Amino acid sequence: MRELRLDKLGAIIAALALGGAFIAPFATFRANRIVAGEVKSVLDALPAGWSAVLLGIVVCAVAVAAVRSPAVLRLVAAFVALATLALGIGVAATHLTPEGNTYARVSPASGFWIMLFAFGLLAADALTRLRPAPFVRVVVLVAVLGFIGILLLSGSWDGLSILKEYASRVDTFWAEARKHVTLALGSLVAATTVGIPLGVLCHRVTRLRDGLLGVLNAIQTIPSIALFGILIAPLGWIAVHVPGAAAVGIRGIGVAPAFVALFLYSLLPVVANTVVGLAGVPRDANDAARGIGMTDWQRLVGIEFPLAFPVILTGIRIVLVQNIGLATIAALIGGGGFGVFVFQGVGQTAMDLVLLGAVPTVVLAFAAAIVLDAVIEMASPNTRQAEAA
Amino acid sequence: MPKLATLIRIAVFLALVAFLLQPHWFEPLLRPLVQDNAPVIYNQGSLLQLTLLHLRTVALAVAAAALVALALAILVTRASGAEFLPLSRSLVNIGQTFPPVAVLALAVPIFGFGEKPTLIALFLYGLLPIFENALTGLTTLPPSVMEAARGAGMTSGQRLLKVELPLAMPVILAGIRLSVVISLATATIGSTVAAKTLGEVIIAGLQSNNLAFVVQGGLIVAILAVLLHDALQAAERRLAARMGR
Amino acid sequence: MIEIENITKRYGESTVVDDVSLTIAPRTVTVVVGTSGSGKTTLLRMVNRLVEPTSGAIRLDGEDNRALPGYELRRRIGYAIQGHGLFPHRTVAENIATVPTLLGWARARIEAKVEELLSLFQLDPASFGPRFPHELSGGQQQRVGVARALAAEPKVLLMDEPFGALDPIIRAKAQDDLLAIQKHFQTTIILVTHDMEEAFHLADRIAVMDKGKVVQYATPAEMLLKPATPFVESLIGAGERPYRLLAIAPVSSAVEPGAAEGAPISSAASQREALAELLWSGRDALPVAGPDGAVIGKVSLEGLAKRAAGPA
Ligand SMILES: Nc1ncnc2c1ncn2[C@@H]1O[C@H](COP(=O)(O)OP(=O)(O)OP(=O)(O)O)[C@@H](O)[C@H]1O
Ligand SMILES: [Mg+2]
């Protein structure tokens, strides 16, 4: 048995987690949606058995974190602690809410968030040390999302305030979710369809490149709410004056200007990365392709494009993550999406409503980033070898 | 040719100043954007004052972000903080997936309405590019130069101040530039939580269906962003050129 | 005097420098050679404590090199490396002034020193001082690197493959400059190289390293005549031995009485140069000119052939 040595990061995690568990409150109880809440410690918020289990597991995980332990063990400890927290907060909600009371609200308090952060940090650190293969990362993501899904479906979180907000707007939630995803993905698809050919064109025609990239760069500096707003006028005009435009959903306000704005923002990363990717194709490869008599078109499809693909994918990843975030702003011009809940919540100072909009947005962006990073890594097989060397 | 570009920038800057000081001079240009007798120039406050407040918010947030990000980057690139280096890279990647709106909205319940949540959101969001670039700058220094600095008998503090930071400065500045541009745009969203920024003009335009407001608010921010971007980039290029890069 | 005593460096399981002892006389040039990975750089870096030894001690003029904090020790020891490591954000003059500035010299003294060194290395101070390193050629950068290492007048200069990146002509010039400057400042130099030609040209003594151990430490002549191991022999190269032997001795030690036809050769040239001239011009003997230019005798093919012969 080797001697136990202190892990610096682990010590910080331990301090955070212990503070979150023993000093900070675990949950907030409010008699109704609007009144100020009273905070409850772990011992008060959970039934006796549960608080013992939760504190026990937190202490064990903290012990694993604080000493130099194998990364796999740290990862397991982090996930077990996180899962316990997730279950625990649901139990607290049921425990604190008086039987049959539909007005009372229970939400996580600072201690919960601090522990979530601490163990999230532990998990991130363990994963960073383990450097799992891209496929494994996606599997971990799916497993975590699956666990959350089960918690949601099983109703163990139903007592939580955020889910009560959800329960009272089930229909709108899914409608806005659909709009959000459609906006983010649809504008991405459109930008990719237009941007990649534009990038190829820029690569071939140098004079075009500087001008076009300059314009796209300038578009990026226009604040999103302004761009959304500016587009209202021309689209409104089109809706009125172009026959059939209104019929396919083009309107001055709503989804159309948001879609066009996201599309415009998306063009720069796609075009720029296509240009960079194509410029990075080794001259030898191109010369060899010419040498064996490939036409320009064959060269583009057979040589340049596959070699530039990972870089183009990186552009697409930037766009997707950025669009998922920006789509929240569409709500300001009636374009819908999760932003609806965020801005409603801000307007009513209802934190739970804000969370109902913000949490899915963050989860979506996060999941998109993990999946696309994995795809990029699989598409460029030599990066991993280079890093390992 | 670069002279012409500089002249254009100066002209744009002067036009911006003129617009902020004497907005009514530009009325005829914006008039076609509004219906009949709606106001053309933002009339619920001074554009100049909002612009200055907008810039102040951005400057405060970016300055704080630069200080903290630089301190953290220095910390994790020292031998004693090396353990934190890989994790801090992952955290930056994770952090960048958080949409600015979400950060802003989540800051409201904690800090209330007004400038504070905006500052916090801009600060947090501004940290990432600066930290990322400072890390890149401080971890990709030419090994032979670092070796020479040690061999010359510099203490670790002297190496940091006299060699590492100056050499990494162009890359760090690039991070600050990114952060400034992002913050300028994101600060407009701050107006949805009652911060005094140019976003107020845009939102007023959206609410009263006044395109002229939206355009003037948006253009001021965009022009500020382009000018600041170019100025910072010029500074970076001069620094980098001195080092022969 | 540098005394290296039973110095050992281990990284985990592997022993990189293994119980090395060397005594280096003041004002001499010691060249360390050996295959890649044999521990030369590590040995050199333990002298100025860029690497801390696992065991053993190093003394400079009798004083243990751990008596001072590492950074103060390094300000007293010159250090020049391959790829020169000039600070790209500082001018040539500022680069050279690095250590004097750290030592807190007065400005006038620093400026005088920078000028002296630039002139010594044949770089015009007015034109080169204010330039940035990237505005210099590779050879000029290398010279500035060495000048920087010498700026604080160190008694000891450590050089790790300082001329590795130079083309052969500039390299030969740099080597001659180095020897002249070593005489001028009376510096003790330890130099690491892969180039045996360079080693024989510069060294008062050569240390051959193999797998962390010093397998022979001797003068160039001793090493040629009595290589300690087959490894040393192969490093010298069997086919090169006679020429190396001639290369390390000056014509002055091979002068015979008598006269010869043709232009004279300087007595300071190496015997190898004399041999080359004899062979090329198809003659049996050359006149030799002393330092004042007067002919002092001749050097003959026959005489050189005897000197190039190994031990019987
Ligand atoms: N910091 C270190 N950690 C672990 N091993 C090291 C370290 N530094 C050097 N080594 C190992 O020590 C051995 C000797 O290295 P050193 O740099 O002294 O060799 P060298 O003789 O200078 O080689 P070269 O001629 O290639 O410069 C090598 O095998 C090297 O990999
Ligand atoms: Mg070496």
Side-chain angles (χ1 to χ4, degrees), chain B:
Chain B
M1 280 315 269
K3 281 275 185 289
L4 177 67
T6 318
L7 283 181
I8 293 178
R9 282 183 193 124
I10 293 174
V12 170
F13 177 70
L14 291 177
L16 177 65
V17 172
F19 181 70
L20 291 178
L21 294 174
Q22 301 292 339
H24 57 267
W25 290 356
F26 294 80
E27 242 189 88
L29 283 176
L30 293 167
R31 167 73 55 199
L33 296 177
V34 293
Q35 265 114 36
D36 310 328
N37 38 21
V40 175
I41 301 298
Y42 185 61
N43 55 1
Q44 294 155 35
S46 145
L47 279 175
L48 178 64
Q49 197 202 359
L50 281 179
T51 306
L52 292 178
L53 284 173
H54 192 110
L55 284 174
R56 194 188 68 160
T57 307
V58 170
L60 280 177
V62 173
L67 279 181
V68 173
L70 207 52
L72 287 177
I74 290 172
L75 205 76
V76 300
T77 50
R78 301 306 96 186
S80 52
E83 274 177 59
F84 299 98
L85 184 59
L87 174 67
S88 57
R89 280 188 208 281
S90 316
L91 287 186
V92 169
N93 283 337
I94 296 172
Q96 270 162 348
T97 60
F98 274 70
V101 190
V103 178
L104 183 73
L106 293 176
V108 171
I110 309 171
F111 301 98
F113 281 89
E115 206 188 2
K116 258 196 226 154
T118 313
L119 271 177
I120 299 291
L122 292 189
F123 164 76
L124 288 177
Y125 216 66
L127 275 179
L128 302 173
I130 306 180
F131 181 72
E132 190 175 24
N133 277 39
L135 269 193
T136 310
L138 289 172
T139 53
T140 55
L141 298 165
S144 71
V145 172
M146 293 314 299
E147 171 85 354
R150 237 152 72 78
M154 290 189 180
T155 61
S156 50
Q158 287 167 334
R159 288 203 301 274
L160 176 65
L161 292 178
K162 297 185 172 183
V163 181
E164 297 179 42
L165 284 179
L167 283 182
M169 203 38 82
V171 189
I172 297 175
L173 263 184
I176 294 182
R177 168 169 56 93
L178 265 178
S179 185
V180 165
V181 172
I182 296 175
S183 295
L184 274 171
T186 311
T188 53
I189 306 174
S191 294
T192 58
V193 298
K196 284 257 164 211
T197 71
L198 287 165
E200 215 172 277
V201 183
I202 302 170
I203 289 176
L206 288 177
Q207 282 166 349
S208 61
N209 212 353
N210 183 325
L211 190 58
F213 285 8
V214 177
V215 167
Q216 61 198 267
L219 274 186
I220 295 174
V221 177
I223 290 173
L224 285 175
V226 170
L227 288 177
L228 280 171
H229 173 278
D230 289 356
L232 285 168
Q233 196 168 49
E236 278 157 45
R237 293 218 170 115
R238 281 185 55 165
L239 266 184
R242 264 180 52 154
M243 297 180 208
R245 292 213 201 114

